[in-house]
Amino acid sequence: MTITRLDPEERLTGAVIYNGLVHLAGQVADDASLDAEGQMADILAQVDTLLAKAGTDKSRLLSVQIFLADMTDIAAMNRAWDKWLDRNNKPARATVEAKLANPAWRVELTGIAALPSA
């Protein structure tokens, strides 16, 4: 089976496609000066772009893990999530508080999506 890597960077790849699944790397906001809602909206736009490059979309997300630098940001993060979410195809989701690599980052997200059947 072929492994396809999308958007390789110095230390990671934005997404890896294998065996009908798209594995997203941890996505963080391009603009770390935004608040948690703004960062989440930025991240979700990146997810849409990566999934489109892979040939799928958010309706095929299977699971999502969200990391918050401060759990008090959950309401703000959820505002962006709720605007973006495909209500007919909600993924399994976990949200945890974690110390992120850059102190300016408020949110990080990773997930797994299915490719459409051939």
Side-chain angles (χ1 to χ4, degrees):
M1 294 190 165
T2 302
I3 298 172
T4 303
R5 300 175 196 282
L6 303 176
D7 294 351
E9 297 178 14
E10 182 179 358
R11 292 186 178 90
L12 59 91
T13 298
V16 176
I17 303 168
Y18 179 73
N19 199 23
L21 298 175
V22 181
H23 300 266
L24 299 175
Q27 303 298 309
V28 294
D30 289 330
D31 183 353
S33 71
L34 296 170
D35 64 7
E37 184 175 358
Q39 286 192 23
M40 186 62 163
D42 181 326
I43 291 165
L44 295 171
Q46 292 176 47
V47 167
D48 283 336
T49 298
L50 277 170
L51 292 176
K53 284 182 183 180
T56 192
D57 62 49
K58 66 185 173 187
S59 73
R60 300 190 56 81
L61 274 169
L62 303 173
S63 65
V64 171
Q65 294 177 342
I66 300 169
F67 306 94
L68 292 174
D70 185 336
M71 196 55 81
T72 62
D73 284 334
I74 195 165
M77 179 276 299
N78 273 331
R79 282 192 295 273
W81 174 265
D82 290 344
K83 289 176 190 170
W84 175 83
L85 182 63
D86 178 338
R87 297 252 172 228
N88 294 318
N89 298 289
K90 295 175 241 172
R93 184 183 117 169
T95 304
V96 299
E97 185 176 66
K99 186 172 183 176
L100 303 181
N102 178 338
W105 291 335
R106 309 298 307 149
V107 183
E108 186 167 349
L109 178 149
T110 186
I112 300 171
L115 292 174
S117 299

